């Protein structure tokens, strides 16, 4: 089995009513639905694998469910160290199967190379995908939804997701400023505290962090002086 099998799976998924207005993007093995404000996407990452239970070579499929709000990222393009093409393809929020209730031991959906049980395996994957895509795309429809998830965890001290990278530091400050400005200073303080902890730890400090740390004052000054009049109110409710 190979990438053509993955594309065939996506074509079958697209025939489901839920995905009827999604477009198939063969280059990154995804189904995507675009809006003026961004997109919703399911991508099927795939790897050569081995099914231990059935003792057979297999193709492993890992669905990734993601949503992008362009405004969350667009303002930061001038500062991001990520390649512009990649930066414009980044999701605002994304989930794997493990983050949506699957066991931590779940690796992916396995399809045997000999295609035995193919239809049964496909039905199992399809049903999970429909359930999880519906949940993610319904749960995250505005930046307020993202705020509640991202900033809520940060303020509650659930910091596991905030251990690396760098763009999230300033993008989440921007999120706080536009969604709940009365909470901005509190959020800013929590984010900067986390930023310093990551930066001062040699195991989590990266070259990206070095660059962002040196430009932090400039970026924050720009963020705090940006006019917000053109932000569609329906995105922050």
């Amino acid at each position: 089995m190979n990438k053509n099998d993955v594309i065939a799976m996506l074509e079958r998924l697209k025939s489901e009513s839920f995905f009827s207005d999604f477009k198939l993007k063969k280059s990154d093995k995804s189904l995507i639905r675009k809006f003026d404000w961004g997109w919703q996407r399911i991508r099927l990452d795939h790897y050569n694998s081995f099914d231990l239970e059935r003792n057979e070579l297999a193709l492993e499929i890992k669905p990734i469910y993601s949503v992008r709000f362009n405004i969350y990222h667009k303002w930061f393009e001038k500062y991001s160290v990520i390649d512009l093409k990649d930066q414009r393809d980044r999701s605002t929020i994304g989930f794997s199967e493990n983050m949506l209730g699957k066991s931590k031991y779940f690796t992916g959906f396995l399809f045997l190379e000999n295609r035995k049980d193919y239809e049964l395996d496909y039905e199992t994957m399809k049903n999970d995908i429909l359930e999880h895509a519906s949940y993610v795309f319904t749960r995250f429809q505005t930046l307020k939804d993202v705020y509640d998830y991202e900033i809520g965890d940060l303020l509650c001290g659930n910091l596991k997701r905030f251990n690396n990278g760098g763009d999230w530091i300033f993008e989440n400050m921007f999120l706080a400023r536009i969604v709940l400005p009365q909470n901005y200073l509190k959020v800013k303080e929590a984010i900067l505290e986390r930023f310093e902890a990551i930066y001062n730890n040699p195991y989590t400090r990266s070259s990206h962090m070095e660059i962002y740390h040196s430009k932090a004052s400039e970026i924050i000054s720009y963020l705090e002086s940006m006019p917000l009049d053109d932000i569609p109110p329906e995105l922050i409710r």
Side-chain angles (χ1 to χ4, degrees), residues 145-196:
D145 298 329
V146 179
Y147 178 96
D148 290 341
Y149 180 79
E150 288 283 317
I151 307 302
D153 269 4
L154 188 67
L155 294 180
C156 289
N158 299 325
L159 304 176
K160 185 182 296 186
R161 292 183 294 108
F162 305 100
N163 281 330
N164 49 42
D167 289 29
W168 68 266
I169 294 163
F170 305 102
E171 289 172 341
N172 278 348
M173 281 191 208
F174 174 74
L175 184 66
R177 183 170 179 242
I178 65 174
V179 173
L180 211 62
Q182 63 268 35
N183 244 17
Y184 173 69
L185 292 179
K186 180 180 179 181
V187 173
K188 175 183 175 181
E189 181 181 357
I191 289 176
L192 290 178
E193 181 179 340
R194 186 60 181 164
F195 184 18
E196 289 298 323

Side-chain angles (χ1 to χ4, degrees), residues 52-70:
L52 293 174
E53 291 187 2
R54 293 181 284 187
N55 197 34
E56 294 282 353
L57 293 173
L59 179 70
E60 182 176 331
I61 303 290
K62 293 186 176 183
I64 303 294
Y65 311 87
S66 53
V67 180
R68 175 184 171 93
F69 294 90
N70 293 329

